[in-house]
Amino acid sequence: TLSRDSFPKLDGKPKYLADKRTCVLPVKLEAGKTYAIRVNSEKFDNFKDADGKAAVPYLLVFKTKK
Protein backbone atom coordinates (compact mmCIF):
# COMPACT_ATOMS: atom_id res chain seq x y z
CA THR A 1 0.00 0.00 0.00
CA LEU A 2 1.01 3.61 -0.43
CA SER A 3 -1.02 4.73 2.59
CA ARG A 4 -3.86 3.46 4.75
CA ASP A 5 -6.17 6.11 3.33
CA SER A 6 -5.56 5.08 -0.30
CA PHE A 7 -6.09 1.34 0.29
CA PRO A 8 -9.69 0.04 0.07
CA LYS A 9 -11.38 -1.61 3.05
CA LEU A 10 -11.19 -5.39 2.84
CA ASP A 11 -14.46 -7.31 2.54
CA GLY A 12 -13.13 -10.85 2.78
CA LYS A 13 -9.93 -12.81 2.38
CA PRO A 14 -7.85 -12.96 -0.81
CA LYS A 15 -8.29 -16.14 -2.83
CA TYR A 16 -7.22 -17.71 -6.10
CA LEU A 17 -9.80 -18.81 -8.64
CA ALA A 18 -9.85 -22.32 -10.10
CA ASP A 19 -7.54 -21.23 -12.94
CA LYS A 20 -4.82 -20.75 -10.28
CA ARG A 21 -3.78 -17.54 -12.08
CA THR A 22 -6.41 -15.06 -10.93
CA CYS A 23 -6.23 -13.64 -7.42
CA VAL A 24 -9.36 -11.96 -6.04
CA LEU A 25 -9.25 -9.43 -3.20
CA PRO A 26 -12.79 -8.55 -2.06
CA VAL A 27 -13.01 -4.86 -1.09
CA LYS A 28 -15.59 -2.17 -0.33
CA LEU A 29 -15.11 1.01 -2.33
CA GLU A 30 -16.37 4.49 -1.50
CA ALA A 31 -17.79 6.83 -4.14
CA GLY A 32 -15.54 9.62 -5.39
CA LYS A 33 -12.37 8.31 -3.78
CA THR A 34 -8.91 7.68 -5.25
CA TYR A 35 -7.31 4.34 -4.43
CA ALA A 36 -3.78 3.05 -4.90
CA ILE A 37 -2.85 -0.62 -4.67
CA ARG A 38 0.69 -1.82 -5.11
CA VAL A 39 1.54 -5.38 -6.11
CA ASN A 40 5.15 -5.96 -5.06
CA SER A 41 7.89 -3.31 -5.09
CA GLU A 42 11.67 -3.19 -5.11
CA LYS A 43 11.59 -3.79 -1.35
CA PHE A 44 8.73 -6.33 -1.08
CA ASP A 45 8.14 -9.24 -3.45
CA ASN A 46 5.81 -11.56 -1.54
CA PHE A 47 3.21 -11.81 -4.32
CA LYS A 48 4.44 -14.85 -6.26
CA ASP A 49 3.20 -17.48 -8.67
CA ALA A 50 2.92 -21.19 -7.86
CA ASP A 51 6.57 -21.68 -8.87
CA GLY A 52 7.76 -18.97 -6.47
CA LYS A 53 8.51 -16.35 -9.15
CA ALA A 54 7.68 -12.84 -7.89
CA ALA A 55 5.21 -10.71 -9.85
CA VAL A 56 6.57 -7.64 -11.59
CA PRO A 57 6.12 -4.60 -9.31
CA TYR A 58 2.98 -2.72 -10.33
CA LEU A 59 1.07 0.26 -8.98
CA LEU A 60 -2.65 0.45 -9.74
CA VAL A 61 -4.31 3.82 -9.14
CA PHE A 62 -7.99 4.49 -9.82
CA LYS A 63 -10.82 6.78 -8.74
CA THR A 64 -14.40 5.69 -8.19
CA LYS A 65 -17.35 7.57 -9.65
CA LYS A 66 -19.23 10.04 -7.40
Side-chain angles (χ1 to χ4, degrees), residues 5-63:
D5 192 47
S6 68
F7 193 81
K9 293 182 182 173
L10 297 180
D11 191 30
K13 294 183 177 184
K15 66 178 180 181
Y16 280 94
L17 297 184
D19 66 6
K20 296 184 181 181
R21 295 176 48 107
T22 306
C23 184
V24 177
L25 180 64
V27 296
K28 286 190 176 187
L29 302 176
E30 297 176 35
K33 186 168 179 177
T34 300
Y35 293 95
I37 300 172
R38 185 181 296 276
V39 176
N40 287 354
S41 67
E42 291 91 24
K43 190 173 181 181
F44 299 103
D45 64 353
N46 293 326
F47 196 84
K48 300 178 182 182
D49 66 14
D51 295 326
K53 184 176 178 185
V56 174
Y58 187 79
L59 174 62
L60 174 65
V61 179
F62 63 95
K63 183 173 183 177

